[in-house]
Each structure stands twice: as C-alpha cells, then as structure tokens.
Amino acid sequence: MSNLELQEIPLNASDWKYSGEGNMKIVFTYTGSEPSLNNWLLQLNKGEESSTLAAQLERRRDARTFSTLVVGPLIGRQYILEQRLVRVPHEFLSLLSERTQSRPAHRTHTHIDVNQGVGVLVPNMLAESSVTVELKPKWGFLPQSSSIAPANSVKHRVCRYCMHQHLKHKTPSKLCPLDLYSSTPNRINRALDALAESPQNNLRVFVNGVVTDAAHVEWSELKRVLVHILLKEQILVRLQRLQRELDVLDIEGVFPVYERAVECGVGANEPSVDDWVEAVGLFQTQMGRSDKQVVLEYLLSMVLKDVSVMVMIEKWPVENGEMPEYKVAVVDTEPKKLAKMARYRDLSQDIVDNYLKLHPHPSSQKQCYE
C-alpha cells in the first residue's frame, strides 16, 4: 500500500502541550509557530504497537473512512472532523512521553505508545479563549423488543446506563441519560447537574484547552448556553433515534441471528469498510434485512451509544447573555468488532442480574422515562 496519505511534518516535542486523554488515546495541542499545524490537535495511541507501519496506516485510514463514509451519513457529515494522518518518529514520541506531566492520577498507569508510526491531526476543539464541553451521552432509549426474556423485563423500565451504574460504582451517578436526550430544558438541566456532580467519563470541561472542574466555571451560564445549543442542533435527538432504529431486537434477539450468520459463514470475518458502507445504504433505503444486515446495524448502534459530543463555545465568558458562536463535533466513532458480540451478550446479562439482585422487587426499582 502506498504511503502517500502519510504526511511528513516538522515535529518538535516542546511545541506540543498535553490536553487530555481517554482509555485508548492521548491528545496534544500545538503551541509552536508552524502555520500548517496551527489550530490542530495531535491524537496518539496509548499502549504498545507491534504491527508494521503499513498495517498501522491502513488501520488509521479505515477508521477515518468509517467516520466519514459510515457515521457521517447517519448523523450528518457536518459533525465529523477532518483527519490528517501524519508520520510520528520514535524519538519525537519518546521526548513527548518524558515531557508529559500533570496527567490525572487514574491515567498514569498507561503511557504513549512510542512504537506507533502514525498519528492523527484533527481540528482543535480546545482553542484559547473558549470553553469546550465533551459529553458522552451513552444509551438513549428503553428497548421494547419482544425478544427480551420475561425475566429481563426490567430492561423495559430501567435504562441500561442506570442499571450499569450499580455494577460499576458503589455510589451510582444521579444521571439518567434519557433526561439528556429529551427535548425538555428542565430535564436536560437536571442531567447536566448530575454530570457536574459525578462526571465519571461522561463529562469533561475544557477552559482555554485545559481540563477544568465544572465547579470552576460559571456553571449556570454554561448550562444555559449548552441547553440552547443541544436543542437547536438536535444532535442528541438524532443519536437517540438512530440508536433505537439500528437496535430493534436488543442483544437478546440479535445474538441468535449472529450465531446463525456465523454458522453460514457470513459473520466469520470482521466487516470491511465496504461492508459498513453497504449496511448504511441498506438501512437508509430499507432495502433488506439479512442476518448480516441485522448484526451490522446492531454494531452501528453500539458505535453511536459510545460516541462523544464536543461543543466548543468560541468566546467565553458570554457577554450580555447573548448566544455565542459555537461548533459541535461527534468523536470516538471507531467501528465495533463482531468478535465482541459474545461480550455484549454477557455484559448485558450481568448488568441485569446485578440490578435485580440489588433491587429484586419492582417497587424498589427505578423508573426511567424517555
């Protein structure tokens, strides 16, 4: 495969400032004077890379194509950030790793992968004089599939996130994502307050590109602006609708379809980019529901249940209560793997079993509302 897509750019570790990280990626803001890098962020992988440069480039290219040609047509191409694939030398990565300080304590057990050869440049959503809010809204609907076993009927009443909290945390968050996905300002405000109280990995606030506790910004004013933007853009409404329409059967109904597809040889290999593009086209035109299509639609729903929504308010603080200029982007759009289907089934059942163990009687169970 040709390396023409892999840009060679001047990289100096002292020109890059740590901005934040997730489980798999770490992000740096450019602070140097090279015009071609102004207003760009560098995304790098964490962990340990063992594949060849050509294999890394192909994987990065496929992820970019998936974001652009698969997720983009579903949620709106205007929400997908441009990606530039760049060569990152080992020496640069080693120096950058040594210089990276002030990381959150719970992240310091992982490090920049100094063996990777490909980084990704994306437009800077963490600019100076701005406030950026990163929301990971998670699952946005109550499944109504008839495939859900009677013993698991709690799924119809308590949303996945609220049940999962009891498996993950001793003190569950007060957030119900269904409030965030609603079109009701009071409910969205309630969800944002719950996120501010217990952000977990569902809320991050950046002021001038630096992660900041929500308590250290004018939270009531920021909420006002956020609610206006979310209602105007309707991006969460769109995500909710797509999650539901792509996941009609729930994992309890999809997994037998997946097993049947594997037996027939259809699901033996991970989907190619062409498979994903075809699946989106069939979903949008409602042209067919083969076993392969049902499984791919479910995996697309899982992608949309795990994206993050970035809202950059370009000038902060807001003057005279006016609505500022802003930009919205959807990130973390990587494809999900067929190999994880059994894990999805098992985790779903673990979440339900744990919740029912803690709340065996319907009278003690939460009621979530869309």
Side-chain angles (χ1 to χ4, degrees), residues 282-328:
L282 290 173
F283 167 71
Q284 291 179 322
T285 58
Q286 297 294 299
M287 291 296 290
R289 292 277 293 172
S290 65
D291 287 352
K292 175 182 176 182
Q293 180 68 15
V294 168
V295 175
L296 291 187
E297 286 185 11
Y298 176 79
L299 290 177
L300 285 171
S301 180
M302 294 300 287
V303 171
L304 298 182
K305 292 165 184 168
D306 205 31
V307 297
S308 295
V309 177
M310 306 282 290
V311 180
M312 182 177 73
I313 301 164
E314 295 186 1
K315 289 186 179 180
W316 188 265
V318 176
E319 296 181 359
N320 302 321
E322 296 179 358
M323 291 309 303
E325 295 293 320
Y326 65 88
K327 182 175 182 179
V328 177

Side-chain angles (χ1 to χ4, degrees), residues 139 141 143-145 241-252 254 283 289 294 297-298 301-302 305:
W139 296 46
F141 68 101
Q144 299 302 319
S145 170
R241 175 180 61 79
L242 288 165
Q243 288 178 14
R244 189 200 317 273
E245 292 178 357
L246 288 162
D247 180 10
V248 175
L249 299 178
D250 186 76
I251 187 63
E252 294 186 44
V254 170
F283 167 71
R289 292 277 293 172
V294 168
E297 286 185 11
Y298 176 79
S301 180
M302 294 300 287
K305 292 165 184 168

Side-chain angles (χ1 to χ4, degrees), residues 255-269 291 295 338:
F255 195 79
V257 177
Y258 163 71
E259 290 183 306
R260 187 168 65 227
V262 171
E263 288 177 2
C264 296
V266 176
N269 300 312
D291 287 352
V295 175
L338 282 170

Side-chain angles (χ1 to χ4, degrees), residues 48-316:
E48 190 169 333
E49 179 61 68
S50 58
S51 59
T52 65
L53 180 64
Q56 293 177 50
L57 180 57
E58 182 174 10
R59 193 163 59 245
R60 292 283 204 176
R61 184 198 61 184
D62 286 349
R64 180 178 65 183
T65 304
F66 182 85
S67 180
T68 304
L69 298 184
V70 178
V71 179
L74 289 171
I75 66 169
R77 290 181 174 86
Q78 69 271 28
Y79 297 116
I80 301 299
L81 295 175
E82 178 187 355
Q83 297 183 29
R84 295 165 56 190
L85 306 184
V86 297
R87 181 80 169 88
V88 284
H90 177 82
E91 181 180 2
F92 165 74
L93 294 172
S94 297
L95 289 172
L96 193 61
S97 182
E98 292 174 7
R99 291 174 54 87
T100 303
Q101 307 295 330
S102 302
R103 298 172 64 198
H106 69 285
R107 298 293 189 188
T108 55
H109 67 286
T110 59
H111 304 281
I112 297 173
D113 174 10
V114 297
N115 295 316
Q116 64 191 298
V118 183
V120 180
L121 289 175
V122 295
N124 188 0
M125 293 284 289
L126 310 175
E128 294 290 330
S129 303
S130 72
V131 166
T132 300
V133 177
E134 179 182 358
L135 298 169
K136 189 173 279 291
K138 304 302 284 186
W139 296 46
F141 68 101
L142 292 169
Q144 299 302 319
S145 170
S146 59
S147 299
I148 294 173
N152 296 335
S153 63
V154 67
K155 288 184 180 181
H156 299 312
R157 303 184 301 276
V158 187
C159 79
R160 160 70 172 245
Y161 180 89
C162 288
M163 284 196 287
H164 200 183
Q165 282 288 297
H166 290 268
L167 183 63
K168 294 172 65 177
H169 302 284
K170 290 183 179 179
T171 304
S173 168
K174 296 177 184 177
L175 169 69
C176 177
L178 304 191
D179 286 338
L180 192 62
Y181 281 99
S182 76
S183 296
T184 306
N186 287 343
R187 292 183 65 188
I188 299 173
N189 270 293
R190 181 168 65 198
L192 292 173
D193 281 336
L195 283 167
E197 181 180 325
S198 179
Q200 299 181 17
N201 71 333
N202 303 106
L203 172 72
R204 287 196 294 179
V205 178
F206 299 83
V207 178
N208 298 325
V210 179
V211 178
T212 306
D213 192 298
H216 298 155
V217 297
E218 297 177 32
W219 183 240
S220 60
E221 179 65 4
L222 183 55
K223 276 195 306 175
R224 182 186 72 84
V225 175
L226 277 175
V227 170
H228 174 88
I229 293 171
L230 292 174
L231 291 175
K232 181 179 179 181
E233 291 293 322
Q234 294 286 287
I235 182 61
L236 294 182
V237 173
R238 192 175 308 181
L239 282 174
Q240 181 188 53
R241 175 180 61 79
L242 288 165
Q243 288 178 14
R244 189 200 317 273
E245 292 178 357
L246 288 162
D247 180 10
V248 175
L249 299 178
D250 186 76
I251 187 63
E252 294 186 44
V254 170
F255 195 79
V257 177
Y258 163 71
E259 290 183 306
R260 187 168 65 227
V262 171
E263 288 177 2
C264 296
V266 176
N269 300 312
E270 292 296 336
S272 67
V273 172
D274 288 341
D275 289 330
W276 289 118
V277 171
E278 180 184 38
V280 170
L282 290 173
F283 167 71
Q284 291 179 322
T285 58
Q286 297 294 299
M287 291 296 290
R289 292 277 293 172
S290 65
D291 287 352
K292 175 182 176 182
Q293 180 68 15
V294 168
V295 175
L296 291 187
E297 286 185 11
Y298 176 79
L299 290 177
L300 285 171
S301 180
M302 294 300 287
V303 171
L304 298 182
K305 292 165 184 168
D306 205 31
V307 297
S308 295
V309 177
M310 306 282 290
V311 180
M312 182 177 73
I313 301 164
E314 295 186 1
K315 289 186 179 180
W316 188 265

